[in-house]
Amino acid sequence: MMEELRTIEDHFREMCGDRPADPWTYEALANDPAWAAVRALAREILFVLTGDRTLPVPHNFIPAAIDTATPPPVDHLAP
């Protein structure tokens, strides 16, 4: 699992560096290949920790196709 966590860290480090697109937008979150890789690795880690691939989708899930002009509301009380 440590290898996967280090790979996620590498992706985040790369996203913080000099990249042509801003990876911290709602559009990038939905479409950037680096975010897709992070999500895939995170799913694998969660499976190792829980043994469950049918975990519920979080209530604040951001779908792949979103309206980037109007960001979804943020629930500041959510964990």
Side-chain angles (χ1 to χ4, degrees):
M1 216 170 20
M2 287 306 296
E3 181 179 337
E4 287 84 357
L5 289 170
R6 285 188 191 97
T7 303
I8 289 173
E9 181 182 17
D10 291 343
H11 283 294
F12 285 142
R13 189 174 291 115
E14 179 185 319
M15 286 192 268
C16 290
D18 296 331
R19 292 188 63 199
D22 183 3
W24 307 107
T25 63
Y26 288 106
E27 184 175 345
L29 181 60
N31 300 310
D32 189 308
W35 278 113
V38 167
R39 284 191 296 274
L41 288 166
R43 275 191 295 275
E44 290 301 316
I45 291 168
L46 286 172
F47 176 71
V48 169
L49 293 174
T50 67
D52 189 358
R53 290 200 185 271
T54 60
L55 297 174
V57 175
H59 72 279
N60 58 351
F61 172 72
I62 299 174
I66 62 171
D67 176 8
T68 57
T70 308
V74 176
D75 181 359
H76 293 287
L77 300 176

